[in-house]
Amino acid sequence: MRIFDPHVHMTSRTTDDYEAMADSGVTAIVEPAFWLGQPRTSVGSFVDYFASLVGWEPYRAAQFGIAHHCTIALNPKEANDTGLAREVLEVLPRWLAKDRVVAVGEVGYDSMTPAEDDAFSAQIALAADADLPMLVHTPHRDKLAGTRRTLDVLAEQDFPPERSIIDHNNELTVEVLADTGCWMAFSIYPDTKVDERRMVAILQEYGTERMLVNSAADWGRSDPLKVSKVVAAMQEAGFSDDDISTVVWDNPVAAYGQSGRLELDVPGQEADSTFEGSSIRRTSG
Amino acid sequence: MTDQTAPTDPAEVTAHLDARLDDDARAWFAESRDRIGDDPAAVRVLFPAVSRRVGRGPLAPGGDGDDPFVWHRDDAGRALLLAAVDPGARPGELRDCYTHGDARERRGVLRSLEVVEVDDEVTAELVDDALRTNDVRLVAAALGPAGVAVLDDDGFAQAVLKAVFVDLDLERIAGIPDRVTPELSRMMADFVHERVAAGRAVPASVWTVIDRHPPADRLAAIEAERDHEDPHRAAAAAAALDARP
Ligand SMILES: [Zn+2]
């Protein structure tokens, strides 16, 4: 089964993870720009991070036949450092214009502060300018209210639902989203969020249309093979291959394909290829 | 234009690029140049989009896209977008396009130096940065006529040594052989000696540099390696010297 993991933070993962993902069937991914676990203190740190998302990571991924794409944004946590946020927002248009940048994201709310409102709203405008979809995650705390507020803000700025990918959903937020026309994404985590069993139940209740499943693997406890585990759980529950493929391939391709910047054919990589002179291989000679 | 010669003015680049564009790309490109003419800051979002809009292949029909000295369509497109920036705003925009650019964008900025006017100071800054990388595409693009023009003799010598380390064909570097000093000939001969002593191969193009001012003592030392007791060294010496024209 060909798998597209539409939300995975590979910067935090090893090259061995790329290899295991490829073995599990992953041939395409989207890596959203996000929080790195501790606050950055200068715009240069953001710029270097964005540069790795459009440069080094696609190179690493391509070694294993994985087509790497990314989304670029200022995340809500760091939006609260308003001086820095202003500087980051200023450089974002350049980075949103790069090849294989398929959405503005991940944005949304963390603590639902006025500064987060400002950054969210400014980035909705940037998405419209750059002609890109948006990846918006629902907040960890006060999730249901945060989801409603997210939808309100998108609607206020006339951002099209079919270009909105709403992530980190659960059994309650999906109820709110089901009739909105937004894409509904689910992050499958080992402990928190949704697991494979609950995901199958959600798909049984709501169907496969506009549904996305991702590992959201990052620097925390997480599992970059979760999408393939959902595939196995769906097979066990009796979903057809077509239905499974809709969720783990067709839907992410359709959602992010709206950017016009998916490049799903990875050129064959020479074993000794390098990125700007650097290699991930540890070979002698 | 053959794939050996770089274009030197915007009109020449325009003609080559125009011949390779389809109607959509041509329209996007014309509109982009107009937008930048009206507002130089527009280059910030148009510059990164060039590869997917005008294509990535070699600019000259039949050119070798893997040859690091070859101009690509997107290099030409980027050079022309920078040429459309008002000269007053150009140094700042050009520098920022480089700083925020990926490798293809940086190569486009470096190539633009061949066809747009910028201060030597800006050129020198970008060329120095490119020569610090290990990216053959950037090193080759920095070693065109405009790039080497801002290097003094020492800088030029270091650049040529860098080029041999990243396996570029030295004969393709602008200023070879005219700008080779006796010091650079000596340095290149020492490089060959070091490689031969390690039993390793050297590219034939080193001789263009060495034989500009042949350093008799160094050449004798390399010649003596032919008889070295280590067969790897002797073989490396023979291979290097037999490639001398
Ligand atoms: Zn995430």
Side-chain angles (χ1 to χ4, degrees), chain A residues 103-157:
Chain A
V104 173
E106 51 187 300
V107 294
Y109 288 111
D110 183 55
S111 305
M112 296 200 255
T113 62
E116 290 176 25
D117 270 325
D118 291 347
F120 186 22
S121 173
Q123 293 184 92
I124 295 172
L126 290 180
D129 286 347
D131 203 17
L132 287 173
M134 294 201 80
L135 169 60
V136 191
H137 69 215
T138 60
H140 297 283
R141 302 176 297 278
D142 203 7
K143 199 182 244 318
L144 200 52
T147 304
R148 293 211 175 90
R149 179 138 151 207
T150 297
L151 292 174
D152 288 346
V153 174
L154 287 168
E156 272 163 30
Q157 291 185 235

Side-chain angles (χ1 to χ4, degrees), chain A residues 43 47 51 54-55 90-101 130-131 259-261 263 274-278, chain B residues 43-46 48-52 56 78 93 96-97 99-105 133-138:
Chain A
V43 66
V47 166
V54 302
E90 206 166 290
V91 301
L92 280 183
R94 292 177 185 275
W95 291 93
L96 292 172
K98 306 280 186 197
D99 291 343
R100 292 188 313 277
V101 174
D131 203 17
S259 67
R261 297 193 217 163
E263 293 182 30
T274 64
F275 173 73
E276 299 175 10
S278 298
Chain B
V43 77
R44 298 171 195 174
V45 296
L46 295 169
V50 169
S51 302
R52 62 181 179 271
R56 298 181 172 92
R78 293 201 163 101
E93 295 298 343
D96 286 351
C97 282
T99 306
H100 291 277
D102 61 19
R104 289 192 86 92
E105 291 170 60
T133 70
N134 285 318
D135 191 329
V136 288
R137 297 166 296 181
L138 299 188

Side-chain angles (χ1 to χ4, degrees), chain A residues 7 9 32 34 106 137 168 189 216 218:
Chain A
H7 186 151
H9 299 285
F34 195 48
E106 51 187 300
H137 69 215
H168 298 347
Y189 270 7
D218 57 14

Side-chain angles (χ1 to χ4, degrees), chain B residues 173-191:
Chain B
I173 296 173
I176 298 279
D178 298 353
R179 286 197 55 190
V180 176
T181 58
E183 176 70 354
L184 176 51
S185 293
R186 195 272 308 158
M187 291 161 92
M188 194 58 73
D190 281 349
F191 164 80

